[in-house]
Amino acid sequence: MHALVAAGHTVLVEHNAGELSALTDDEYQAAGAEIVGSAHDVWRLAEMVVKVKEPIEPSIGTSARGWCYLPTCTWRR
């Protein structure tokens, strides 16, 4: 995330996205992320989506513009 922000990208993270992995919104913000209210907001606002798991059906059609989806990534603390 630091590298993306340093390169001038805006990183959007859904509120409480890290809850199951013990990452807080504050930690994401400290790394440079902007917290948005819901997954729908991320899909609607993003130009590229990096997601650990596959998108669920309701999320797929919510992007307001063309976007790139990158499935599966490994995050390390």
Side-chain angles (χ1 to χ4, degrees):
M1 186 172 316
H2 291 288
L4 292 171
V5 173
H9 299 286
T10 300
V11 177
L12 304 174
V13 175
E14 173 189 2
H15 172 62
N16 287 332
E19 192 170 53
L20 294 177
S21 59
L23 292 170
T24 66
D25 286 352
D26 289 339
E27 289 175 287
Y28 281 116
Q29 287 176 312
E34 178 182 327
I35 305 299
V36 296
S38 68
H40 175 77
D41 292 332
V42 173
W43 285 96
R44 182 176 54 82
L45 298 169
E47 294 177 3
M48 177 172 55
V49 174
V50 178
K51 190 166 174 24
V52 176
K53 295 188 55 114
E54 68 282 347
I56 56 173
E57 189 65 34
S59 300
I60 295 172
T62 61
S63 180
R65 51 192 155 177
W67 50 270
C68 175
Y69 168 66
L70 299 175
T72 312
C73 58
T74 302
W75 297 104
R76 299 184 194 274
R77 283 182 103 168

